[in-house]
């Protein structure tokens, strides 16, 4: 990846995006979204540092998701009205400050506040870059481009756990956020050089009318409604797994280190890379059937995951299936939604990811609570039930989807 020649990365309107620009957007999305997920494998270390009970430490993840929801409601939509380059780079400066705040936080309250800021700014960056990619890409390849960029998001999400575990073992959990601050500043330099300025948009809507129009989209766009519910259930199942995984793996009989636990994120990269290609199914009009296959994969993944207490090999197989199914659904969801209103990509992404924030937040809280009550079998039963609900909802809404969502 290089940003030495920004003009070479800029696509002319109606022409395919240069591969270099697509890769840059994917990498920057991965770096941005990683900030939202660093805490997941660190929950036991954070709980020990601040004296937070195991059943309550999931609130750290929930605080991050609250920040995500605020970004989706009040920030992401701005990309439909102002210059994305200046907006994204300004958000990166604030993100670096929020990361320093987590590294410094002396009390649980300040930690939660800084985590909420990271959720807000990391989400605004990630979703702003995805909307930017969708806007720059011509319609015939929008699904592929969104899938590739979303692949960067997933890889960043998964590698975040590996990086967090390794850095924690070397220098403590707070050092994770110092390292991330450095990465964010490097990304700021790259984006400032390579990201093209958006063409000036007519100021047809003020800020508050812009935000109110998101409510109109949620109330009227059937594709957004249906794919949003599918996404909520899928993200809840995804969060149930990753939020609770550190608890059984760090306890006997496995008693794994933070580095070893984080390394399980590398296993999921296999599924994530395969899922990135799901965007092509949208371009070919096969998004619905790709969704059914992906949800079936998500459902089956809980069978080997349930044997995690007995064999880590079964856990690895389950992670590949979980990430393949879940991320394929996410890619197809975005591809279908972003076909509906080209002039509102930022708002559509923001609306869709509200479902994500709700699902992830509820999944994190439910996961740690269920683990405290019923252990790993209870967590697996919860994830299986959510996955089954997503599959049944998809089947029930097949005929309700408009023709362009086929």
């Amino acid at each position: 990846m290089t940003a030495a020649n920004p003009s070479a990365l800029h696509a002319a309107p109606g022409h395919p995006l240069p591969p270099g620009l697509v890769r840059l957007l994917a990498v920057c999305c991965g770096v941005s979204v990683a900030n939202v997920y660093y805490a997941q494998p660190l929950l036991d270390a954070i709980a020990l540092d601040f004296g937070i009970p195991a059943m309550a430490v999931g609130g750290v993840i929930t605080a991050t998701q609250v920040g995500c929801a605020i970004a989706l409601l009040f920030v992401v939509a701005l990309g439909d009205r102002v210059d994305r380059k200046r907006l994204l780079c300004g958000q990166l400066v604030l993100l670096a400050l929020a990361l320093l705040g987590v590294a410094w936080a002396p009390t649980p309250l300040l930690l939660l506040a800084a985590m909420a800021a990271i959720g807000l700014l990391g989400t605004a960056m990630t979703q702003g870059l995805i909307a930017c990619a969708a806007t720059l890409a011509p319609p015939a390849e929008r699904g592929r481009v969104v899938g590739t960029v979303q692949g960067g998001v997933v890889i960043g999400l998964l590698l975040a756990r590996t990086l967090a575990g390794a850095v924690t073992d070397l220098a403590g959990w707070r050092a994770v956020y110092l390292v991330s601050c450095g990465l964010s500043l490097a990304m700021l330099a790259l984006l400032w050089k390579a990201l093209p300025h958006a063409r000036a948009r007519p100021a047809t809507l003020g800020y508050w009318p812009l935000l109110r129009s998101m409510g109109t989209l949620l109330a009227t766009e059937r594709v957004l409604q249906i794919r949003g519910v599918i996404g909520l259930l899928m993200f809840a199942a995804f969060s149930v797994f990753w939020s609770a995984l550190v608890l059984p793996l760090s306890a006997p009989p496995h008693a794994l280190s933070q580095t070893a636990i984080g390394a399980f994120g590398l296993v999921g990269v296999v599924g994530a890379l395969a899922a990135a290609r799901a965007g092509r199914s949208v371009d070919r009009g096969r998004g619905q059937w790709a969704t059914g296959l992906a949800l079936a994969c998500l459902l089956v993944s809980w069978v080997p995951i349930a044997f995690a207490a007995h064999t880590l090999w079964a856990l690895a197989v389950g992670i590949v299936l979980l990430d393949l199914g879940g991320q394929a659904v996410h890619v197809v969801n975005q591809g279908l939604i972003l076909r509906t209103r080209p002039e509102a990509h930022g708002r559509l992404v923001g609306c869709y990811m509200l479902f994500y924030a709700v699902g992830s937040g509820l999944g994190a809280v439910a996961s740690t609570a269920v683990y405290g009550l019923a252990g790993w079998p209870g967590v697996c039963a919860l994830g299986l039930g959510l996955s089954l609900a997503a599959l049944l909802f998809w089947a029930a809404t097949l005929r309700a989807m408009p023709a362009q969502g086929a």
Side-chain angles (χ1 to χ4, degrees):
M1 179 183 67
T2 179
N5 185 8
S7 62
L9 297 177
H10 184 62
H15 288 72
L17 283 183
L21 179 56
V22 178
R23 287 194 296 269
L24 175 62
L25 293 171
V27 170
C28 289
C29 277
V31 174
S32 297
V33 78
N35 294 295
V36 182
Y37 292 93
Y38 283 134
Q40 284 187 347
L42 307 180
L43 289 180
D44 58 338
I46 292 173
L48 181 64
D49 193 0
F50 287 97
I52 302 173
M55 289 185 65
V57 74
V60 172
I61 306 299
T62 302
T64 308
Q65 297 304 326
V66 169
C68 292
I70 294 172
L72 298 172
L73 282 170
F74 298 108
V75 181
V76 175
L78 285 173
D80 290 337
R81 191 174 189 272
V82 303
D83 178 49
R84 284 192 196 277
K85 179 175 181 177
R86 294 186 183 279
L87 179 64
L88 292 171
C89 290
Q91 290 167 352
L92 267 175
V93 174
L94 296 177
L95 177 59
L97 293 175
L99 289 164
L100 289 177
V102 170
W104 164 82
T107 67
L109 183 61
L110 291 175
L111 172 71
L112 293 176
M115 284 292 186
I118 285 177
L120 188 159
L121 295 161
T123 299
M125 278 296 307
T126 304
Q127 303 310 320
L129 288 166
I130 291 174
C132 181
T135 300
L136 291 173
E141 66 166 11
R142 186 167 291 142
R144 179 188 66 81
V145 170
V146 170
T148 301
V149 174
Q150 180 60 36
V153 174
V154 178
I155 292 173
L157 182 159
L158 297 173
L159 292 183
R161 302 182 178 100
T162 303
L163 176 63
V167 173
T168 298
D169 281 343
L170 291 173
W173 71 267
R174 294 176 187 268
V176 173
Y177 294 92
L178 292 175
V179 170
S180 182
C181 179
L183 292 174
S184 296
L185 293 175
M187 184 169 66
L188 172 63
L190 286 170
L191 285 177
W192 186 254
K193 287 183 177 181
L195 194 65
H197 282 285
R199 294 181 174 184
R201 294 179 176 87
T204 56
L205 288 176
Y207 177 66
W208 293 111
L210 190 74
L211 297 185
R212 286 196 295 270
S213 71
M214 294 176 67
T216 301
L217 291 172
L218 285 168
T220 60
E221 289 293 336
R222 183 174 295 181
V223 175
L224 175 62
Q225 294 166 351
I226 293 174
R227 306 307 296 200
V229 172
I230 293 173
L232 186 152
L233 293 168
M234 181 274 293
F235 283 125
F238 203 74
S239 183
V240 161
F241 173 77
W242 285 110
S243 296
L245 180 63
V246 64
L247 300 175
L249 292 187
S250 61
H254 298 306
L256 299 179
S257 67
Q258 291 289 342
T259 300
I261 295 172
F264 276 95
L266 294 174
V267 177
V269 172
V270 177
L273 289 173
R277 300 180 63 85
R280 299 178 186 272
S281 67
V282 178
D283 296 332
R284 297 169 182 170
R286 300 173 183 170
Q288 280 284 42
W289 301 111
T291 301
L293 291 173
L295 288 173
C297 187
L298 184 70
L299 183 66
V300 171
S301 71
W302 291 99
V303 176
I305 286 173
F307 290 92
H310 306 286
T311 168
L312 295 180
W313 285 108
L315 177 62
V317 171
I319 290 175
V320 172
L321 293 174
L322 182 82
D323 283 330
L324 173 60
Q327 296 307 325
V329 170
H330 187 34
V331 168
V332 173
N333 280 352
Q334 288 184 313
L336 291 175
I337 291 169
L338 290 171
R339 293 175 67 187
T340 58
R341 298 282 293 274
E343 78 285 359
H345 281 154
R347 282 166 286 168
L348 286 170
V349 168
C351 289
Y352 168 64
M353 293 305 293
L354 283 173
F355 291 95
Y356 156 84
V358 172
S360 293
L362 293 177
V365 172
S367 180
T368 52
V370 168
Y371 184 83
L373 294 172
W376 189 246
V379 170
C380 293
L382 176 61
L384 181 70
L386 289 167
S387 302
L388 179 60
L391 181 61
L392 293 176
F393 181 82
W394 165 79
T397 56
L398 273 174
R399 294 185 179 181
M401 281 285 287
Q404 67 266 27

